[in-house]
Amino acid sequence: MAKKTKSIWFCSSCGNESLQWLGKCPYCGEYNTMVEKTVETGVVRASATSSGHVHKPVQLKEIESAAEHRISLHNAELDRILGGGIVPGSLVLIGGEPGIGKSTLSLQIPLNCPSLKTLYVTGEESVKQVKMRADRLGGDSSDCLIFSETQIENVISEAEGIKPDLMVVDSVQTMFAQSADSTPGSVSQIKEVAATLLRFAKESGIAVILIGHITKDGYIAGPKILEHIVDVVLQFEGENRGSYRILRSIKNRFGSTSELAVFEMTGTGLREVSNPSEMLIPMHGQSLSGTAVCAMLDGSRSFLFEVQALVSTAAYGTAQRSATGFDVRRLNMLLAVLEKRAGFHLSAKDVFINMSGGLRVTDPACDLAVVCAVLSSNFDFAVPSDICFAAEVGLSGEIRPVGQMDKRISEAARLGFKKIFVSSFASLGPKAPGIEVVKVADIPALVRALFPRG
């Protein structure tokens, strides 16, 4: 068939194709993201894999429903977020900001699993740079092979000869396929490379881990179809300046997406944090004003952390509102509720909020802890260190219940807290031993119960 060329417009955000330029992508709604690409038609492209397997339809009743076999990565946090280990033949995408720890984690996996034959493909660094990082991380590197290559056909060919148990590709944006006539990192290249690796993983049964970059908006760079192709999407969160990292499951075809793993970045790599509550609760010996402890639930995991607040008179006339790890718009809403419904005049005061450990919190259960930390700093009255909070605050000043209260209360009791403030409308199970549950209906009732001098 004769070769012909035509121009197609790709959305650089989601990968949607169009025959003409559009100011707004109809699929993802982004503006000015259409990029022109010249493609050849009538060309039969050979698959990058050479297994030659022919698949035939199978009756659904003949398929065995046994649980997937999983390979342990000897990392309790990572195994748990994957659903018990990595599944052979699966394609896992790990995304995150530069310097967050993606390459460190992917290299720690083969170093901690000497029985797992691993092919580590690096397209960003030389083999000497990878060796330097491996020496710093420590571990057994006897069965870890390093391959510096950016052409996906050569990577597949080498993997077919080595037959590893696991292959790591760092990163998908640096790889390119000869069948796609564009530069590495473009929409068409990322789609072709991901599709090639998916075919290879499914036909060979080799698990593949892909490293991906993210955009300034916090989304994984490349077309949205990349996240649809892979089986598992894990995303790193946290501040580069902080020591804690959260690995969150965004998509998992073999397990739950309500899981997260907590790590601490140290000089020898990422260390598992099996009990983050003990590291995020107050580290000071005495109670201080402007602090409150929240019982938060992220996915299916409950842990406690400290909320810090500072309220001071505005020095330059206009009050400042600043929040680290918390939505500043929600902070403004909570301050407006305190002003309107409870009569606290905070409009002329600066308010600063900080979540301990560099965490970014979205659970509405921390509303009550934020309010208590702000009032504690405003009154200069310390909240006792054995009290924690878990409730949402409504616009009418009412304190609303949050989900899975029994898990939050059990975690607080396990860590030695004596009292927890919840909504009076919360439905609770059997009473947890060693902790008193205080139910409050609104902000004025909370102030009367917690601040005798308020």
Side-chain angles (χ1 to χ4, degrees):
M1 185 180 293
K3 295 181 181 180
K4 297 181 181 180
T5 60
K6 66 176 182 179
S7 294
I8 293 181
W9 294 85
F10 288 92
C11 174
S12 59
S13 177
C14 66
N16 184 46
E17 297 182 12
S18 174
L19 296 178
Q20 59 183 355
W21 182 85
L22 299 172
K24 178 182 178 181
C25 175
Y27 187 80
C28 65
E30 296 291 332
Y31 288 90
N32 299 323
T33 57
M34 304 303 290
V35 179
E36 187 178 11
K37 170 80 167 53
T38 302
V39 297
E40 294 181 351
T41 60
V43 179
V44 179
R45 293 178 178 174
S47 171
T49 59
S50 57
S51 60
H53 289 201
V54 178
H55 300 278
K56 295 182 179 180
V58 181
Q59 286 190 351
L60 182 61
K61 64 179 182 180
E62 295 179 357
I63 301 175
E64 296 182 2
S65 58
E68 292 281 354
H69 172 65
R70 298 177 184 270
I71 302 173
S72 175
L73 300 179
H74 296 277
N75 186 309
E77 291 288 289
L78 192 56
D79 282 345
R80 183 175 52 78
I81 196 175
L82 289 172
I86 193 168
V87 176
S90 62
L91 187 59
V92 179
L93 174 64
I94 301 178
E97 296 179 353
I100 200 73
K102 305 183 299 295
S103 299
T104 300
L105 179 64
S106 60
L107 187 57
Q108 279 186 253
I109 292 173
L111 294 178
N112 295 335
C113 303
S115 60
L116 201 65
K117 189 176 183 180
T118 306
L119 176 62
Y120 189 97
V121 182
T122 171
E124 298 182 344
E125 300 174 312
S126 66
V127 292
K128 290 185 177 180
Q129 288 175 308
V130 177
K131 171 63 176 174
M132 291 172 59
R133 187 189 303 118
D135 292 340
R136 177 174 57 85
L137 298 177
D140 189 350
S141 59
S142 57
D143 217 358
C144 179
L145 305 173
I146 309 299
F147 186 39
S148 180
E149 180 58 66
T150 55
Q151 185 173 323
I152 195 62
E153 289 83 3
N154 294 342
V155 171
I156 298 297
S157 176
E158 196 69 27
E160 288 177 339
I162 295 174
K163 292 183 172 55
D165 301 313
L166 173 68
M167 183 168 74
V168 180
V169 179
D170 187 11
S171 66
V172 65
Q173 280 81 13
T174 61
M175 297 291 151
F176 74 94
Q178 287 184 327
S179 55
D181 186 18
S182 58
T183 58
S186 62
V187 171
S188 56
Q189 282 287 359
I190 292 178
K191 288 170 61 178
E192 186 67 25
V193 168
T196 300
L197 289 171
L198 180 68
R199 289 194 300 268
F200 169 73
K202 299 305 178 186
E203 293 176 0
S204 65
I206 298 172
V208 179
I209 295 178
L210 272 177
I211 306 299
H213 303 299
I214 66 170
T215 64
K216 62 180 181 180
D217 297 323
Y219 301 106
I220 295 177
K224 197 68 177 176
I225 194 173
L226 174 62
E227 298 181 40
H228 297 309
I229 289 176
V230 301
D231 298 310
V232 181
V233 179
L234 306 178
Q235 185 157 345
F236 261 115
E237 298 176 2
E239 296 289 337
N240 290 338
R241 297 180 296 273
S243 59
Y244 297 110
R245 306 285 191 269
I246 291 179
L247 186 62
R248 192 182 303 276
S249 176
I250 306 298
K251 170 187 176 181
N252 192 349
R253 287 176 177 159
F254 307 108
S256 172
T257 54
S258 13
E259 292 289 349
L260 60 87
V262 182
F263 298 93
E264 182 184 13
M265 180 62 79
T266 65
T268 56
L270 290 167
R271 185 183 69 84
E272 304 170 46
V273 180
S274 57
N275 188 10
S277 298
E278 295 181 355
M279 308 190 72
L280 299 176
I281 56 179
M283 297 297 174
H284 40 77
Q286 58 182 357
S287 300
L288 300 176
S289 63
T291 63
V293 177
C294 172
M296 189 183 78
L297 196 72
D298 201 325
S300 62
R301 189 172 191 177
S302 60
F303 55 90
L304 278 70
F305 69 98
E306 185 183 53
V307 178
Q308 302 170 344
L310 176 63
V311 179
S312 62
T313 304
Y316 302 103
T318 303
Q320 300 183 61
R321 303 286 187 261
S322 177
T324 302
F326 190 71
D327 188 359
V328 69
R329 293 173 297 182
R330 192 159 188 86
L331 172 61
N332 290 330
M333 183 204 78
L334 295 175
L335 296 178
V337 169
L338 289 175
E339 182 109 14
K340 177 73 174 178
R341 305 297 181 185
F344 295 105
H345 302 291
L346 301 172
S347 57
K349 296 186 177 182
D350 295 335
V351 180
F352 304 93
I353 294 291
N354 177 56
M355 301 295 163
S356 64
L359 294 180
R360 178 161 295 278
V361 178
T362 58
D363 189 357
C366 68
D367 285 357
L368 194 59
V370 170
V371 167
C372 291
V374 169
L375 295 179
S376 172
S377 180
N378 186 51
F379 295 149
D380 197 19
F381 180 85
V383 176
S385 59
D386 58 354
I387 296 179
C388 62
F389 307 88
E392 182 182 358
V393 177
L395 291 178
S396 299
E398 79 278 13
I399 297 179
R400 304 171 62 87
V402 290
Q404 302 188 50
M405 279 303 309
D406 294 333
K407 275 183 141 182
R408 305 173 196 264
I409 295 173
S410 298
E411 179 70 9
R414 188 182 67 83
L415 292 173
F417 284 82
K418 302 300 182 185
K419 191 180 293 186
I420 181 170
F421 280 76
V422 302
S423 170
S424 59
F425 306 102
S427 57
L428 305 177
K431 182 180 179 180
I435 187 170
E436 178 188 355
V437 179
V438 181
K439 293 186 175 183
V440 286
D442 50 27
I443 297 297
L446 171 71
V447 174
R448 289 192 299 268
L450 194 61
F451 303 102
R453 299 178 298 174

